[in-house]
Amino acid sequence: MDVTQPKQEHLLALKVMRLTKPTLFTNIPVTCEERDLPGDLFNQLMKDDPSTVKGAETLMLGEMLTLPQNFGNIFLGETFSSYISVHNDSHQVVKDILVKADLQTSSQRLNLSASTAAVAELKPDCCIDDVIHHEVKEIGTHILVCAVSYTTQTGEKMYFRKFFKFQVLKPLDVKTKFYNAETDEVFLEAQIQNITTSPMFMEKVSLEPSIMYNVAELNAVSQNGESMSTFGTRTYLQPMDTRQYLYCLKPKQEFAEKAGVIKGVTVVGKLDIVWKTNLGERGRLQTSQLQRMAPGYGDVRLSLETIPDTVNLEEPFDITCKITNCSSERTMDLVLEMCNTNSIHWCGVSGRQLGKLHPISSLHLTLTLLSSVQGLQSISGLRLTDTFLKRTYEYDDIAQVCVVSSKIKEN
């Protein structure tokens, strides 16, 4: 006959509590006009309520703090803090107590215990306390595993553990867009949306560029000699609100001179976002490395270095072009042809030899032209022919210029 042994009660008790900051107490004001039936009763009750602000009783926000009533939400980028307490509920002295706390995520298991040494003994009604901290870097299910091992007075080794499951949510929705300028500059627009249920104070949103680029933030304007944020002095982001941040990336000189380097998929950097929520709780997120697909320019690239914004009608003006051999292997022998359009007329000799252009090298060329039509005119009609391969590259609508009457410009 088999006899089942009763389950032995543990001598130690384990308690785990999440450490979060309190929130400001809110109440719902109930009031009425003096001519109504309750008269001044509701107003007097609110004045006597200790949670209301004296002199502003109708405000929902009070001066008292409320302790957390539940586990609450944990968001990616925040610091998870927890208080672990092991209490001796028995009348015995317990020896060799070891408390271990691990955090299991979808990809790894992390040890959060501050100390791995065992406590020699724990007397009755005494406890062992520990506070653990962890910056949350993954979303999804997390499991806090707390294990306790100890030895009783009779020398029996005991062991138990508890599991605490919680979800890590996504606080921000980040979308990025790239815009390529006529030059080598790249503009990055970052759209950041607060998808939590509480407002955020955006402490910092910066772009850390890769080694190939320099970055300039375009989120401030100069006012009375001081730099002012375009979002104002109080950069709060309300729930479900979206804000756009703009950055200008320019290749460093050593990379800009090598036209074949910045092509295809290139890494431009990563966003670093820091915010604060209720009572200054801090969160931080860094995106993965942002990549962009550089526009393809083919074998030969023609770009404008200088061009006037406004020119006079039927008066010559100069532009400076940069011609780059984007090939990494082949030398080109180029011929320049200039074809007139209905409004743009080139000055100079068409079909002239530009000479040999070696791989990953450039040459600068100043050209003169005039316009016979007023208004916004597109500059077109340039043709480059590689005499080695008998291949012609056409360049139309490479820029626009505003053409005005000389009388209007003088006035």
Side-chain angles (χ1 to χ4, degrees):
M1 180 178 177
D2 294 333
V3 178
T4 303
Q5 295 291 334
K7 186 177 180 180
Q8 184 176 356
E9 293 290 335
H10 282 284
L11 305 179
L12 303 181
L14 172 66
K15 291 184 178 180
V16 177
M17 292 170 281
R18 183 190 174 194
L19 296 179
T20 56
K21 292 187 178 182
T23 57
L24 289 171
F25 178 78
T26 57
N27 53 34
I28 300 177
V30 179
T31 184
C32 64
E33 296 182 2
E34 292 183 359
R35 64 184 179 182
D36 292 335
L37 183 61
D40 194 44
L41 177 62
F42 291 151
N43 293 333
Q44 190 60 44
L45 289 174
M46 286 193 298
K47 290 180 181 179
D48 297 338
D49 189 345
S51 66
T52 59
V53 179
K54 302 306 176 185
E57 290 82 7
T58 55
L59 291 177
M60 292 183 62
L61 201 61
E63 296 179 317
M64 303 181 68
L65 297 176
T66 304
L67 294 176
Q69 303 299 308
N70 50 43
F71 191 82
N73 294 324
I74 300 179
F75 294 99
L76 184 69
E78 294 182 343
T79 299
F80 168 69
S81 300
S82 183
Y83 168 70
I84 300 176
S85 178
V86 177
H87 186 267
N88 187 353
D89 290 346
S90 70
H91 301 288
Q92 305 178 23
V93 177
V94 179
K95 298 182 179 179
D96 301 329
I97 306 97
L98 181 62
V99 182
K100 186 179 180 182
D102 291 342
L103 186 64
Q104 178 70 53
T105 70
S106 58
S107 62
Q108 57 183 336
R109 189 183 181 101
L110 304 168
N111 180 23
L112 304 183
S113 301
S115 174
T116 57
V119 178
E121 65 176 23
L122 185 64
K123 296 179 180 180
D125 288 330
C126 293
C127 61
I128 301 172
D129 299 324
D130 190 15
V131 176
I132 59 175
H133 303 281
H134 173 67
E135 184 179 348
V136 182
K137 298 181 179 180
E138 296 181 42
I139 60 174
T141 303
H142 286 56
I143 302 175
L144 180 62
V145 183
C146 297
V148 180
S149 62
Y150 60 95
T151 305
T152 64
Q153 282 185 337
T154 60
E156 184 180 3
K157 294 186 178 298
M158 304 293 291
Y159 173 84
F160 69 94
R161 61 181 179 173
K162 289 186 177 181
F163 301 88
F164 304 89
K165 182 185 292 187
F166 58 91
Q167 293 288 331
V168 175
L169 306 177
K170 186 179 177 182
L172 299 171
D173 185 27
V174 181
K175 298 178 181 178
T176 56
K177 295 180 180 178
F178 288 101
Y179 303 92
N180 298 309
E182 291 294 333
T183 60
D184 289 328
E185 292 178 336
V186 179
F187 292 91
L188 168 65
E189 177 192 349
Q191 298 181 359
I192 299 177
Q193 182 182 24
N194 176 8
I195 57 177
T196 69
T197 56
S198 59
M200 290 181 176
F201 172 75
M202 306 305 292
E203 185 175 292
K204 183 182 75 168
V205 180
S206 62
L207 177 64
E208 298 179 359
S210 64
I211 60 172
M212 299 173 64
Y213 291 93
N214 292 318
V215 64
E217 295 192 10
L218 305 179
N219 305 306
V221 293
S222 180
Q223 188 173 1
N224 297 327
E226 296 183 359
S227 180
M228 302 290 293
S229 172
T230 55
F231 309 112
T233 56
R234 298 173 182 171
T235 56
Y236 288 100
L237 192 59
Q238 298 295 333
M240 304 311 296
D241 278 1
T242 302
R243 182 174 293 168
Q244 288 84 17
Y245 293 85
L246 187 62
Y247 304 90
C248 178
L249 292 149
K250 190 171 184 179
K252 294 181 179 178
Q253 190 64 32
E254 57 267 30
F255 295 103
E257 294 175 352
K258 299 178 181 179
V261 175
I262 304 179
K263 65 179 181 179
V265 178
T266 58
V267 174
V268 300
K270 57 184 177 181
L271 288 170
D272 187 14
I273 307 170
V274 180
W275 71 90
K276 288 182 179 178
T277 54
N278 295 332
L279 297 180
E281 289 183 283
R282 190 172 182 266
R284 181 183 182 187
L285 278 181
Q286 281 191 329
T287 65
S288 57
Q289 291 288 350
L290 303 176
Q291 296 181 334
R292 68 176 276 262
M293 175 63 74
Y297 298 107
D299 295 333
V300 183
R301 179 187 178 187
L302 186 144
S303 58
L304 288 183
E305 296 290 292
T306 60
I307 181 174
D309 296 327
T310 306
V311 298
N312 288 336
L313 179 67
E314 297 180 348
E315 289 186 10
F317 62 94
D318 293 336
I319 63 172
T320 302
C321 300
K322 180 181 178 182
I323 301 173
T324 304
N325 181 358
C326 298
S327 172
S328 58
E329 301 175 351
R330 188 168 56 85
T331 299
M332 298 181 177
D333 189 9
L334 298 176
V335 175
L336 175 66
E337 294 183 14
M338 301 178 292
C339 304
N340 294 333
T341 64
N342 293 332
S343 59
I344 295 297
H345 305 273
W346 298 92
C347 304
V349 179
S350 179
R352 60 170 163 163
Q353 296 278 345
L354 299 181
K356 294 183 179 180
L357 190 59
H358 296 285
I360 318 300
S361 59
S362 305
L363 63 86
H364 290 80
L365 192 64
T366 301
L367 301 175
T368 304
L369 61 160
L370 61 85
S371 175
S372 59
V373 180
Q374 295 186 63
L376 191 64
Q377 304 298 329
S378 294
I379 296 178
S380 304
L382 290 180
R383 305 289 183 263
L384 287 173
T385 301
D386 182 7
T387 58
F388 289 149
L389 295 181
K390 306 297 183 183
R391 183 180 298 171
T392 300
Y393 305 91
E394 300 181 355
Y395 300 95
D396 294 318
D397 299 323
I398 57 177
Q400 292 179 324
V401 64
C402 182
V403 182
V404 299
S405 172
S406 58
K407 296 181 180 180
I408 296 177
K409 193 168 184 181
E410 289 175 0
N411 294 336

